[in-house]
Amino acid sequence: MATFQTLPGFREFYPEDLAGRSHIFRLWRQTAASFGFAEYDAPVLEPLELYKAKSGDEIEAQLFSFTDKGGREVALRPEMTPTVCRLVGARANALRRPIKWFSIGEFFRYERMQKGRGRCFFQFNADIFGEPGPEAEIELIALLVQCLCAFGLTEQDFYVRLSDRNLWFHYLGALGLDEPRIRAVLTAVDRHEKHGDAAFASYSEQFGPLDPGIKERVMAFLSIRSLAALEQTLAGINDERLAARLADWRRLLRALEAMGLGRYVEVDLGVVRGLAYYTGFVFEAFDRKGDLRALAGGGRYDDLVQKLGGPTLPAVGFAIGDMTFALLLEQRGLMPKILHAPDVFCVIDGETGRLAAFPDIHALRAAGFRVEYPLRDSAFGKQFKAASESGARLALIYGGDEVARGVVKVRDLAQRSEVEVPKSQVALHVRDFLSVR
RNA sequence: GCGAUCGUAGCUCAGUUGGUUAGAGCACAAGAUUGUGGAUCUUGGGGUCGCGGGUUCAAAUCCCGUCGGUCGCCCCA
């Protein structure tokens, strides 16, 4: 039957699937709003140049790109950051600081599919522009943690690894490495967790073997897992920029501690976040079991707005992907079973009952209640079964007997108890019942 | 781009050394049931066995190709 197939890596959302997705989006929106972030949106299709500007061939290879009918080179957006930089950059002078924005959008990457990765996916993105100090990181890491906790996840389920590219840069500089060598070492550090010593192979190819003394200190540095260890390692080095970074670290960790979020955050200098544009703190959220890919990632990118043609504007941001996150919620049984339950299900006997029920059904719906009824006549037993399966809390019964007496029987489906209510008071009764909860 | 593995109903799968009209459970629908709940029973709809080619009297079954799913590698903005 299915002559046409969904394109590889693309997803369809049947109502049950969409219900789960909407549930996730709803809580993300709610959480971002409670932190005072404003929602924005932007085009899905962008000039190819926007992504070429800051990245290499590898990334271009994973873009859905083509030439449009006007001869423009365009690409489906693979991420939000360049777009939001352009938006903010274009009006930077007119926007009140701090600029706290979020969005939920779909993104596209032409990749091979794997667990938690497809060719299209949704991301929650949150960014703060115009704040150079760690106050921006405090706000964003708190938001990230709450975006996961809002679903019932706890510190048993996930944690945030916190690192600092800026610190790495200064530290490696203090060890006497120049910038190209520093970048090569950072690439090796990024891969070290997965590949072990082999991660340094590419460095050796470019620059010859890394000095054993330096390598030892790199290995020690990437094993740092606490602020105390960090302070101790840097104690012997006299460099004011390193001292200033340490002060930022203390402010950041103290603030998160004060919010009660210390248990979610782990210092981990082994994280450097592979590519390009991060310039300061970087962080990634993982599930504790470690059998899923990263849940979220972000960091500071103070140069990007300018690189994309805007003014100098410091920025921090992160993104949570929907696929890995949904896998985690399902694993932990935190995905609600019924997400579209009506408030009220009507049980109706014949045409007479139907005509009696319609005014109430419409009035309740107009008042904002979710009301369902069988479109066609069917046996009461079936209707009650349907009512029960729908997840509705109340059944309104319009039988011949009730209609004749001008009443409606209201059944509490959970308690299996019934009361009769004069027809004129149905809406009131329903409102009272449902508002009690 | 590379590798492994798998494609039979909406889902999970069975299908003998190749042999008549391809099966089950779940799900869906109808009835038993003309006023009370996740039960039971009966019945029903739904499949060009991913697609194409080959071998054969005969292919879901064997061979080749291809498309797709899943999981890794690369990459992960």
Side-chain angles (χ1 to χ4, degrees):
Chain A
M1 179 199 77
T3 315
F4 296 105
Q5 298 179 320
T6 315
L7 287 168
F10 282 79
R11 297 184 285 166
E12 280 149 346
F13 291 88
Y14 282 79
E16 317 83 85
D17 309 320
L18 188 59
R21 190 181 104 189
S22 300
H23 168 70
I24 291 171
F25 289 3
R26 194 179 313 124
L27 288 186
W28 281 347
R29 278 206 171 87
Q30 227 171 56
T31 305
S34 69
F35 276 69
F37 282 68
E39 186 167 9
Y40 66 94
D41 201 359
V44 170
L45 198 63
E46 290 276 20
L48 179 60
E49 206 58 39
L50 184 63
Y51 305 110
K52 279 173 123 169
K54 56 152 233 195
S55 35
D57 303 341
E58 190 71 41
I59 283 162
E60 208 184 320
Q62 296 187 332
L63 284 173
F64 273 95
S65 60
F66 57 96
T67 307
D68 77 6
K69 292 183 179 177
R72 286 170 283 262
E73 294 285 318
V74 297
L76 288 169
R77 62 185 181 192
E79 60 166 325
M80 194 51 121
T81 308
T83 300
V84 71
C85 283
R86 189 193 62 215
L87 262 61
V88 169
R91 296 195 186 170
N93 294 330
L95 295 169
R96 197 165 50 179
R97 314 292 173 86
I99 301 159
K100 294 164 55 174
W101 283 14
F102 83 97
S103 74
I104 296 172
E106 189 168 22
F107 301 89
F108 306 87
R109 298 178 190 177
Y110 195 90
E111 300 188 274
R112 198 64 180 198
M113 290 121 55
Q114 279 169 58
K115 192 176 180 183
R117 188 168 87 179
R119 287 182 176 179
C120 69
F121 53 94
F122 290 83
Q123 274 187 353
F124 170 89
N125 275 261
D127 297 89
I128 295 182
F129 294 88
E131 176 50 64
E135 286 69 27
E137 279 87 344
I138 294 167
E139 189 77 338
L140 282 165
I141 292 172
L143 173 59
L144 168 55
V145 169
Q146 189 53 33
C147 275
L148 306 188
C149 289
F151 294 82
L153 293 167
T154 70
E155 74 265 30
Q156 316 282 318
D157 300 308
F158 78 94
Y159 65 111
V160 178
R161 303 164 81 189
L162 178 65
S163 181
D164 184 348
R165 274 175 80 92
N166 187 295
L167 195 58
W168 265 106
F169 242 88
H170 292 328
Y171 182 67
L172 293 174
L175 292 180
L177 296 179
D178 61 6
E179 193 176 324
R181 282 166 221 267
I182 290 176
R183 291 196 178 279
V185 170
L186 287 183
T187 303
V189 168
D190 186 43
R191 294 181 182 168
H192 184 266
E193 191 171 8
K194 235 179 181 175
H195 300 272
D197 207 49
F200 287 92
S202 145
Y203 179 95
S204 305
E205 276 171 35
Q206 283 180 69
F207 303 105
L210 186 59
D211 176 84
I214 292 179
K215 183 162 177 187
E216 196 179 314
R217 300 182 76 167
V218 167
M219 296 306 293
F221 204 68
L222 72 76
S223 317
I224 289 174
R225 294 292 180 274
S226 70
L227 182 58
L230 182 57
E231 285 171 327
Q232 200 181 350
T233 306
L234 298 179
I237 303 171
N238 194 7
D239 182 320
E240 15 178 284
R241 286 180 307 184
L242 284 176
R245 283 311 287 167
L246 275 180
D248 284 350
W249 270 86
R250 290 190 201 101
R251 268 158 81 197
L252 175 54
L253 291 176
R254 201 187 306 133
L256 291 171
E257 202 65 55
M259 283 189 185
L261 305 179
R263 61 185 186 277
Y264 292 99
V265 180
E266 295 185 3
V267 175
D268 186 343
L269 272 294
V271 174
V272 296
R273 285 190 66 74
L275 269 132
Y277 51 62
Y278 290 109
T279 58
F281 285 110
V282 289
F283 47 93
E284 295 184 327
F286 287 90
D287 78 303
R288 285 276 183 194
K289 276 195 190 155
D291 47 24
L292 298 173
R293 58 184 63 240
L295 289 161
R300 179 168 284 277
Y301 49 98
D302 283 345
D303 303 333
L304 191 58
V305 175
Q306 191 179 23
K307 273 186 187 156
L308 293 172
T312 306
L313 192 62
V316 191
F318 74 85
I320 314 174
D322 73 314
M323 292 182 76
T324 301
F325 186 65
L327 282 173
L328 181 64
L329 289 184
E330 269 154 35
Q331 261 186 21
R332 304 299 151 94
L334 291 173
M335 194 65 102
K337 292 271 185 306
I338 299 179
L339 287 159
H340 47 274
D343 298 311
V344 173
F345 194 101
C346 296
V347 173
I348 295 170
D349 184 18
E351 188 64 7
T352 320
R354 192 166 291 270
L355 288 175
F358 276 151
D360 294 346
I361 288 170
H362 193 75
L364 284 168
R365 285 170 166 176
F369 296 104
R370 288 182 288 183
V371 181
E372 188 61 277
Y373 69 95
L375 292 181
R376 289 160 55 181
D377 290 347
S378 74
F380 264 46
K382 277 227 165 112
Q383 294 192 52
F384 277 104
K385 187 177 166 188
S388 166
E389 283 173 350
S390 76
R393 303 185 61 210
L394 289 177
L396 299 185
I397 302 158
Y398 295 86
D401 178 48
E402 288 84 357
V403 173
R405 291 191 291 119
V407 299
V408 175
K409 205 177 269 182
V410 181
R411 183 172 175 89
D412 180 334
L413 286 164
Q415 298 297 316
R416 293 170 180 253
S417 61
E418 290 176 349
V419 290
E420 281 190 353
V421 176
K423 198 161 178 307
S424 57
Q425 286 175 34
V426 168
L428 259 177
H429 187 86
V430 167
R431 182 173 311 146
D432 288 350
F433 182 91
L434 292 174
S435 66
V436 173
R437 256 192 201 239

